[in-house]
Amino acid sequence: MRGMKRPAANQKTLSKLSGSLVLVGAGKMGSAMLDGWLGRGLSPRRVVVIEPQPSKATKALARRGVGLNPKPGPKVKADAAAAIVIAVKPQTAPDAVPPLGLHVSKSTLVLSIMAGRTIGFLEKSLPAGTAIVRAMPNTPAAIGRGITVAVANTKVSPRQRKLAGDLLAAVGKVEWVNDEALMDALTALSGSGPAYVFLLAEAMTKAGIAAGLPPALAARLTRETVAGSGELLHRSDIDAATLRQNVTSPGGTTAAALEVLMGPGGFDELLTKAIAAATKRSRDLAG
Ligand SMILES: NC(=O)c1ccc[n+]([C@@H]2O[C@H](COP(=O)([O-])OP(=O)(O)OC[C@H]3O[C@@H](n4cnc5c(N)ncnc54)[C@H](OP(=O)(O)O)[C@@H]3O)[C@@H](O)[C@H]2O)c1
């Protein structure tokens, strides 16, 4: 179809990683990343997972060679990692991050996906001079279709930046910014964004039921409409406004709905307010 992008070829970008990769926190996001890395050719033997309550899937990976919760000992200092990925909840960070200093050497990249935990916080918690990338993924990462935005501190070398990009690309697209202050607004847009789309789906289902449709049919029609439209947007080179105009004939049914949605107090106004509120909350919570 014209205007459609080709899917990216499956790349084995991590097959040549030298050194070990330590994943701290194999919850929803950490596990999704781990699956992505192994899918991109990372050898299980290069991975160490630190996770107090490993899932069945993580335990199964341990049987394939992933190191799970190795006992700390005098040897640990010598086992500096090529990369440490921090995927614990932000509130766990004050306990979980400082001990990781044991695995950090000059060549180690620390990649944190903790919401709201700043580069300043990580620099204070880790040895001086540590190379740090802070990143904000979103939940479609679970199916390899996330979008992650990353920002690096001044200690990150071009090689480490490439490694961070490769690690994050295992769960979707990656964008880099230079200004960490943008993290609050982009957390509000793409980090929280999936919730806005799911709310749209909920509201469409309710509205369909109010218009007389059987609930199960309204839910199925909504699911496929939101998913199909998202996929069309994903595969198309055409911008969202044009795709919208393409389904809107003057004086037709879509135009009648859009008059309401694009009128005063409509989508634009609501989302601007919602994203401003989320940006403010992210700023208030940051530390
Ligand atoms: N999910 C998202 O959409 C999303 C989006 C952007 C950013 N993030 C960030 O990603 C991070 C992880 O989120 P998540 O949804 O994957 O959370 P999660 O499912 O709760 O995963 C966190 C995991 O870390 C484990 N953990 C706790 N303390 C630990 C420690 N000291 N050492 C090692 N592991 C420890 C937790 O174990 P227990 O269950 O035993 O505590 C849990 O399995 C968060 O910082 C979040 O801000 C998530």
Side-chain angles (χ1 to χ4, degrees):
M1 195 168 157
R2 273 186 64 210
M4 292 292 162
K5 291 178 227 161
R6 275 202 233 140
N10 188 17
Q11 298 158 320
K12 295 283 174 197
T13 44
L14 295 171
S15 57
K16 294 202 175 79
L17 180 86
S18 50
S20 63
L21 194 157
V22 179
L23 171 66
V24 188
K28 290 184 281 296
M29 214 30 109
S31 300
M33 293 179 84
L34 179 55
D35 285 346
W37 300 332
L38 298 175
R40 289 195 165 213
L42 181 64
S43 161
R45 300 202 173 276
R46 294 227 172 264
V47 184
V48 172
V49 173
I50 303 175
E51 165 59 57
Q53 293 189 49
S55 65
K56 272 190 191 153
T58 305
K59 286 183 191 156
L61 288 176
R63 290 192 288 277
R64 279 178 53 198
V66 166
L68 183 56
N69 297 323
K71 296 261 174 308
K75 218 171 114 314
V76 167
K77 180 72 188 165
D79 292 343
I84 300 175
V85 179
I86 308 176
V88 298
K89 291 277 187 208
Q91 53 275 28
T92 318
D95 293 329
V97 178
L100 301 176
L102 276 175
H103 300 279
V104 171
S105 76
K106 278 212 163 62
S107 61
T108 305
L109 163 76
V110 173
L111 169 59
S112 162
I113 62 158
M114 292 183 292
R117 286 295 181 184
T118 61
I119 287 179
F121 165 85
L122 293 161
E123 284 176 343
K124 264 188 246 144
S125 311
L126 292 164
T130 302
I132 295 167
V133 169
R134 176 184 169 196
M136 171 49 58
N138 64 7
T139 47
I143 54 160
R145 285 282 299 276
I147 173 83
T148 302
V149 190
V151 57
N153 76 351
T154 54
K155 308 295 176 194
V156 173
S157 68
R159 203 177 49 79
Q160 289 171 321
R161 192 179 161 104
K162 158 104 178 44
L163 174 58
D166 287 345
L167 291 171
L168 295 169
V171 288
K173 295 249 177 353
V174 183
E175 294 272 344
W176 287 88
V177 293
N178 293 322
D179 180 3
E180 193 183 6
L182 295 177
M183 281 316 240
D184 299 311
L186 64 88
T187 296
L189 184 66
S190 57
S192 304
Y196 316 152
V197 177
F198 299 135
L199 177 64
L200 169 74
E202 287 176 66
M204 279 175 67
T205 303
K206 283 185 201 153
I209 296 166
L213 294 174
L217 179 63
R220 284 200 302 278
L221 297 180
T222 299
R223 184 181 283 266
E224 294 309 317
T225 302
V226 172
S229 308
E231 190 59 28
L232 184 59
L233 186 62
H234 175 71
R235 289 202 215 167
S236 174
D237 289 329
I238 303 167
D239 62 84
T242 309
L243 287 170
R244 168 177 57 75
Q245 282 151 13
N246 290 348
V247 255
T248 316
S249 12
T253 52
T254 312
L258 291 180
E259 230 168 84
V260 178
L261 292 172
M262 297 172 82
F267 258 9
D268 279 12
E269 222 172 279
L270 272 176
L271 275 173
T272 305
K273 268 198 231 162
I275 288 178
T279 305
K280 181 177 179 305
R281 181 58 58 86
S282 171
R283 209 172 282 139
D284 292 347
L285 291 176

